[in-house]
Amino acid sequence: MIRTGEEYKASIRDNREVWIDGERVKDITIHPSFKPIIDVRARIYDLAHEAATRDVMSYVDVATGERNAIGLKLPRTQQDWHDKRRAVDTVMDDIGGIVTRVGDETIGEMWSLYDGKDVLNEVDPRFAENIERHIHKALYADPFHVSANTDPKGDRSKPPQEQDPDSLLHVVKETDAGIIVRGAKYETAAAYSNQAFVKPTIANWGEAKLSDYAVGFVCDMGAPGIKHICRSGFVGRAPIEDYPLSNRFDEIDTLVISTMY
């Protein structure tokens, strides 16, 4: 399926906890700092429905007969990549600027894991099954999908345990229903997205005592226990005539804090 812009906006009016400039945001879709970029993302959804751009932005799935977004399609042929490039060009021409964190760039991280399913199966067959399920869920539910991989750096000469142990995201408990994690990640566009592919970026997890920090999962950005602390926005700081791009395309960075997930 493909969502409309209004359906996307409705999906992020979920009482998520978003803070900017010391203020708790009541409705992120109309807040001055977020509205321009959210409107851009909504426009991208709507392009998949309009007659002039529908066939560029979406395709008909032969298995279901439904239209899905080109950007989220698992690429299997060279033509798939050409189609994706044409969709990106269509978006840029329509909005008159450049945005990068709109979902189609981060779903590719899952495609890489899909290519490595044989390796995942060697570790645990459930991992390969999970990544295939998440790819299909993203394709058919059409969420705004981002990544969440940048760790708070702190003192890079010290391991996490010698700093604030809750600064870096890590597992604190495992249950039959899943894992419970605590810590933080930085990510652009997280505050107004639907889900994020969370993963570690520190390279060396060679010691067993650090394994709790080597965790990856897909996270609902509106889930209870998730707090978004955003940097100040550039929108409205200066006249749009002088700063047309920063006033229209500010993709806001966020410190995503999880106390329990």
Side-chain angles (χ1 to χ4, degrees), residues 99-118:
V99 288
T100 57
R101 302 302 206 282
V102 293
D104 57 353
E105 84 295 346
T106 48
I107 193 70
E109 298 163 349
M110 290 190 179
W111 300 337
S112 297
L113 290 176
Y114 184 86
D115 284 343
K117 283 196 301 180
D118 290 345

Side-chain angles (χ1 to χ4, degrees), residues 131-183:
I131 201 63
E132 185 167 3
R133 184 175 69 253
H134 283 307
I135 286 173
H136 285 104
K137 182 179 179 181
L139 180 61
Y140 295 119
D142 201 17
F144 179 9
H145 174 90
V146 297
S147 181
N149 56 5
T150 303
D151 295 298
K153 303 307 180 187
D155 186 340
R156 301 189 192 192
S157 69
K158 297 180 180 179
Q161 292 85 351
E162 294 180 13
Q163 305 181 66
D164 179 352
D166 288 337
S167 178
L168 293 178
L169 190 73
H170 62 288
V171 177
V172 296
K173 187 177 181 180
E174 295 189 37
T175 73
D176 291 340
I179 59 174
I180 297 174
V181 299
R182 185 176 296 123

